[in-house]
Amino acid sequence: MNADVQAEWRQKKKRPRKPMFKRDELAGWLFISPMLLGFTIFMFIPIGFAFYMSFTDWPLLGQSEFIGTANYQAIVQDPEFQKVMKNTVLFTAGLVPFNIILALGLALLLRHPLPGMGLFRTIVFVPVVTTLVVWAIVWRYMFATDFGFINSILAWFGIEPQAYLYNKNLAMPVVILTSVLKNVGLNMVLFLAALQMVPKNLYEAARIDGAGSWRQFKNITLPIISPTVFLATIITIIGAMKIFAQIFVMTKGGPESSTKVIVYYIWEKAFRLFDMGYASAAAFILFFVIFAFTLIQWWLRKRWVYNED
């Protein structure tokens, strides 16, 4: 009996060990390892460190002190934070519907293969690839009070020049308008691609049944491209809540903080007042707000996004 056990044990010992990774799996991990290493060093570690900073009183060049959730409690009670959140919501509510409706309208107009359509599509898309700071500088001079192009045009019709960027009632609409013109081309391209996926036979059947253009758009086009509308809405909302460059270049948060948004507020706390812990806490509050908005939209999509399944 002992001899049989010993023989079985020797046979098991001679069996080759099963490799930890198959050859294909190992090759796959090696291919993606540079990206994983980059994400870990330049994204995950800084995010984790910033989350730790949000629980500290950390002047940029001084010693840090762990203070728990004091930064979060102070931010929630800060009247300035409440104002910048209100401005951020106002900017998002003004930009997103304007951007989506204008992009969809342009896509419907430019989807037909007519002469010159390629040129018009390029004109609409050029602002997307233009540097954001350059775009903001150009529009700041366009809306200048004394020698701006906008006031010069309006002067031909006898309209008094306006200080658009120094009027607290006009500054935010001007920033919203310039931001829409900057990014509308990206959503237009998404909608153009979605419109080409709508089956032509559905339109032919609708025309035979006597459906007009509006009923075809409402009952065929809009339901089929609704997944793209959903994607464009999420991307645009997240981008709107992170706006910074236009505000920094055109208004610097003024006048009277009427255009100061959450990201500008974070930058001001971190690099002007050197309160890194407070700024980190505000940044994570922004992250949780965007995450909550995205979850709500994901839940609401079941009610209006068309699903072929």
Side-chain angles (χ1 to χ4, degrees):
M1 184 69 181
N2 290 335
D4 294 338
V5 172
Q6 289 179 358
E8 185 178 355
W9 180 80
R10 291 194 194 95
Q11 189 175 3
K12 288 182 178 179
K13 191 176 180 181
K14 292 179 180 178
R15 289 177 185 172
R17 284 187 175 182
K18 188 177 180 181
M20 185 175 296
F21 294 104
K22 293 181 179 178
R23 188 170 181 178
D24 293 343
E25 293 178 351
L26 181 60
W29 281 106
L30 288 175
F31 273 116
I32 66 173
S33 59
M35 185 192 69
L36 289 177
L37 188 62
F39 267 100
T40 302
I41 295 175
F42 298 108
M43 181 172 288
F44 298 133
I45 292 177
I47 289 175
F49 188 66
F51 189 62
Y52 168 72
M53 286 172 59
S54 68
F55 295 100
T56 65
D57 179 13
W58 195 319
L60 185 60
L61 301 177
Q63 293 293 326
S64 65
E65 179 185 357
F66 188 82
I67 57 174
T69 60
N71 284 328
Y72 291 93
Q73 295 174 10
I75 290 173
V76 173
Q77 298 172 358
D78 185 1
E80 187 181 11
F81 175 76
Q82 296 169 9
K83 182 175 180 59
V84 299
M85 284 303 296
K86 180 181 176 182
N87 289 340
T88 305
V89 172
L90 179 64
F91 177 83
T92 304
L95 180 137
V96 175
F98 192 11
N99 186 303
I100 297 296
I101 293 172
L102 182 60
L104 184 56
L106 288 171
L108 290 170
L109 288 174
L110 300 179
R111 64 174 169 170
H112 303 290
L114 299 176
M117 283 300 156
L119 176 62
F120 286 112
R121 292 177 185 177
T122 304
I123 292 173
V124 176
F125 191 75
V126 161
V128 177
V129 296
T130 304
T131 306
L132 192 56
V133 175
V134 173
W135 178 263
I137 291 174
V138 169
W139 279 104
R140 188 181 66 186
Y141 284 108
M142 294 273 281
F143 281 102
T145 306
D146 298 327
F147 52 87
F149 178 76
I150 303 298
N151 275 331
S152 299
I153 295 295
L154 293 178
W156 295 348
F157 300 97
I159 300 176
E160 293 291 328
Q162 299 290 325
Y164 296 99
L165 300 178
Y166 300 96
N167 186 323
K168 65 178 182 180
N169 296 320
L170 296 177
M172 182 61 86
V174 167
V175 176
I176 291 174
L177 175 64
T178 57
S179 299
V180 168
L181 296 177
K182 173 73 174 67
N183 297 311
V184 70
L186 180 61
N187 285 339
M188 183 200 71
V189 171
L190 293 176
F191 290 142
L192 278 173
L195 289 172
Q196 293 177 359
M197 301 299 293
V198 181
K200 301 293 187 297
N201 58 341
L202 294 180
Y203 292 119
E204 294 172 0
R207 280 193 290 270
I208 292 173
D209 291 339
S213 300
W214 170 247
R215 286 186 59 190
Q216 292 178 34
F217 172 76
K218 180 182 176 183
N219 298 326
I220 298 175
T221 306
L222 197 55
I224 292 181
I225 69 170
S226 58
T228 305
V229 176
F230 173 69
L231 172 66
T233 303
I234 287 184
I235 293 174
T236 309
I237 288 178
I238 293 175
M241 298 191 77
K242 297 191 304 179
I243 181 174
F244 173 73
Q246 291 100 318
I247 299 293
F248 182 82
V249 174
M250 296 181 70
T251 66
K252 294 192 182 302
E256 301 179 17
S257 298
S258 60
T259 60
K260 184 182 287 187
V261 292
I262 179 65
V263 177
Y264 188 90
Y265 173 81
I266 293 170
W267 171 84
E268 197 173 53
K269 295 294 182 185
F271 300 107
R272 182 172 288 176
L273 303 177
F274 304 117
D275 194 347
M276 302 301 290
Y278 195 93
S280 298
F284 274 94
I285 288 177
L286 174 62
F287 165 75
F288 290 124
V289 169
I290 292 176
F291 186 66
F293 264 106
T294 306
L295 285 182
I296 291 172
Q297 292 173 81
W298 186 259
W299 179 70
L300 290 176
R301 87 188 194 286
K302 299 175 184 175
R303 299 189 178 185
W304 64 277
V305 176
Y306 173 73
N307 188 350
E308 292 184 352
D309 297 333

